[in-house]
Amino acid sequence: MTAATGTTARTGSEPTGPQGTPGGSGGPGGPGTSGTSASAAGLAATLRRRPGLGKLLLLAVFAAVLVPLALTRWPGTVWPEALTVDLSAPLGSASDWIIDNRDSHPLFLYFFGYLSNAVVLSVRGVYLLLLAMGWAGVTAAAGLIAWRVAGVRLALTAAVSVALCGVLGMWIPTMQTLSLMIVAVAASVVVGALLGLAAGLSDRLHRVLRPVLDTMQVLPAFAYLLPVVLIFGIGVPAAVLATVVYAAPPMARLTALGLRDADGGVMEAVTSLGATARQRLLTARLPLARKQLLLGLNQTIMMALSMAVIASVIGAGGLGDRVYQALASVDVGAALAAGLPIVLLAVVLDRTTAAAGSGLDRPPASSAAGRLRTGWRGWAAVVVAAALVAFAGRLAGRLDWPESWIANIAEPVNSAVDWMTAHLYSGVPVIGGTADWAGHFTTWVLDPLRGGLQALPWWALLLVVAALALLIGTWQTALTAVLALAAIGVLGVWKPSLDTLSQVLAAVAVTLVIGFATGIAAARSARFEALLRPVLDVFQTLPQFVYLIPVVALFGVGRAPAVAAAVVYALPAVVRITTQGLRQVDPAALESARSLGATSGQQLRQVQLPLAGPALRLALNQGVVLVLAVVIIGGLVGGGALGYDVVFGLAQGDLATGLVAGAAIVCLGLMLDRVTQPTERRGGDRKGA
């Protein structure tokens, strides 16, 4: 007792240091040992709570070591010439070899030649069939197929939409485009389904095909038009095959997704019954994946139609060629008259395939009319009725659309555009016209942004990209983003790529400001959303070339109209995703906020926006990807940089310039995708989070 008391007294009488250690520096561990341990423990706890901070600290350590070494070896701020690879010689040699051997080599004579002939015969056969059916037969067939899939309302929509193609005076070009799209979509579905089947049944093939599909989907269409033209020449085969390359990936991805996500319980039950692998595929996997397959068909059709105008550059003809010719002569009315049928076809095909997918969950029809419409009887009725209408049209001698039923919209549209150009381009008092806005946007936003990016040292940009990718993803994400950006320098297009990047960042910023504001308004008002939906449908399906013309008329030629075109193209997706994300917020959370007296603005800021964070990040990601997709189109209206290089390469037959610029755009897209789309953390990251 005495010893203990003495000890206690002695301990209590000793002076304590600033860290609470007896004597401040007399502990066995040296001066401030306990304080250092506490600080280390606090830092470790902070790093466990915020794993991204630890990654950034580690990145800073690596940068402190590697940057001085890099500057010693490669001084300067521009990407070092020693780290570039000149691909012009090998790509030029490949182009020369193709041109020299296209008419004599067995590969072209007995493979590409037969493939080209098959495409030509298929497209011509479908086109002649559509012409033989006449306008009445085609219109009736469209309405009857829609009736078989979804009912009377969609049938009327389909029939009226197809008839409007004739009213606009575009019946023959519409049939040309439709025949090419039917063959291209059929080939895309077959190729995509086979690739998806392989990826869905084999993990190894899935890992191999994923980067291939990524490249096919991100590579600008203009970039692979050039090698396709070199092999097949100008004409329908090149247009169809370019469309297949562009439209097959969605079918492949969704087929693989449907097969890989098949219900495990059902598959186990089928396996326990002794079914072979082929039987499991035909009786279980494919039926369970029907929705994904139909969604893949829907996306393939939409992407094939979006290629209609681009494919016209290499001889596809049809509506795309009319739009392209109107663009060359700056005829907005003619471009709109040719572009609207593409929109109408897209709306009809989109609604029909979407209705087919949703119809899989409907119970069997009970009425006599419903039973007639469903099953094989429905398809038999469609075929018989369409054949009778087509036969009646032939007897009446009315195969072509009557000229007296054509409405000329080109003149009033051109008059409206002329008025807008005269009064809005430079004639708006006080606030200035659209030409002034474009000039100010270029001077105050695009020029400083481009100058800032190009002034940054190359290693600093790599570090910024790595830091952004680490904050929202994993080490693998950051490594992919950094390698993608470094590949741009290796290709020797560092400065034009930064010019393109500045335009993309500016367009994304404008798109997000307008898109988030519009999406919030649509989510808070059902009436506003209903009014906005048809507008978004039109903007999402209208060919990019069509709205380039009014953009140029209003803003002139330069980087600003290229940004405006990108904003118009990407805005519908951002608005839709934002609206859907806000509407899907848990109603219980909103009710709880209202019960606590939160105002409408507080509910939006403190409940809806935080809970809709994943959807908003997806909107950001899709905005970036879609803006980048218009880079090539922007090159046609003065955007310059990589877009101009791709178009120049196609126009001049310069494989090196076109493909290198296209590959740089792919790398930009990959880098931007990795720094805008969060990656699920695994292992230690998840535990630390």
Side-chain angles (χ1 to χ4, degrees), residues 279-290:
Q279 290 172 332
R280 290 196 298 271
L281 174 64
L282 296 177
T283 61
R285 283 188 181 273
L286 287 177
L288 289 173
R290 285 182 301 173

Side-chain angles (χ1 to χ4, degrees), residues 47 50-64 462-475 478 681 685:
L47 293 180
R50 302 177 63 184
L53 181 59
K55 293 178 181 178
L56 291 181
L57 289 175
L58 189 57
L59 178 64
V61 173
F62 276 112
L462 294 178
L463 288 177
V464 169
V465 168
L468 291 175
L470 280 176
L471 284 175
I472 66 169
T474 63
W475 284 106
R681 295 184 174 95
D685 288 346

Side-chain angles (χ1 to χ4, degrees), residues 372-429:
L372 174 64
R373 188 170 63 82
T374 58
W376 65 270
R377 296 182 183 87
W379 289 119
V382 167
V383 173
V384 172
L388 290 176
V389 173
F391 183 69
R394 290 189 66 85
L395 289 180
R398 291 296 186 92
L399 295 180
D400 295 333
W401 187 268
E403 291 187 6
S404 59
W405 293 2
I406 295 176
N408 183 13
I409 69 168
E411 292 183 4
V413 169
N414 286 332
S415 299
V417 171
D418 292 340
W419 182 90
M420 292 171 62
T421 303
H423 293 82
L424 300 180
Y425 187 75
S426 59
V428 181

Side-chain angles (χ1 to χ4, degrees), residues 224-414:
Y224 56 76
L225 286 184
L226 181 56
V228 169
V229 169
L230 283 175
I231 295 174
F232 294 98
I234 297 290
V236 170
V240 170
L241 292 171
T243 304
V244 171
V245 173
Y246 186 70
M251 189 69 198
R253 288 183 185 278
L254 288 164
T255 301
L257 177 65
L259 294 177
R260 297 177 73 85
D261 288 350
D263 191 331
V266 175
M267 296 305 302
E268 186 176 348
V270 173
T271 304
S272 66
L273 294 175
T276 63
R278 181 172 177 272
Q279 290 172 332
R280 290 196 298 271
L281 174 64
L282 296 177
T283 61
R285 283 188 181 273
L286 287 177
L288 289 173
R290 285 182 301 173
K291 280 192 173 182
Q292 284 82 1
L293 293 176
L294 283 172
L295 181 58
L297 174 62
N298 175 275
Q299 293 299 304
T300 297
I301 290 173
M302 300 302 289
M303 296 192 73
L305 280 171
S306 71
M307 275 289 293
V309 179
I310 296 177
S312 68
V313 178
I314 56 174
L319 295 170
D321 187 55
R322 297 294 183 92
V323 174
Y324 190 69
Q325 290 178 5
L327 175 66
S329 59
V330 196
D331 189 344
V332 181
L336 190 62
L340 283 178
I342 299 178
V343 176
L344 295 171
L345 289 178
V347 170
V348 169
L349 294 172
D350 175 62
R351 298 291 190 271
T352 304
T353 52
S358 61
L360 295 176
D361 294 331
R362 287 198 295 265
S366 57
S367 63
R371 287 194 299 271
L372 174 64
R373 188 170 63 82
T374 58
W376 65 270
R377 296 182 183 87
W379 289 119
V382 167
V383 173
V384 172
L388 290 176
V389 173
F391 183 69
R394 290 189 66 85
L395 289 180
R398 291 296 186 92
L399 295 180
D400 295 333
W401 187 268
E403 291 187 6
S404 59
W405 293 2
I406 295 176
N408 183 13
I409 69 168
E411 292 183 4
V413 169
N414 286 332

Side-chain angles (χ1 to χ4, degrees), residues 62-101:
F62 276 112
V65 175
L66 295 178
V67 169
L69 294 177
L71 289 177
T72 302
R73 181 74 178 271
W74 304 293
T77 59
V78 184
W79 185 268
E81 288 286 340
L83 296 180
T84 60
V85 176
D86 186 10
L87 297 179
S88 58
L91 289 176
S93 300
S95 176
D96 294 339
W97 184 88
I98 292 174
I99 295 173
D100 294 339
N101 294 273

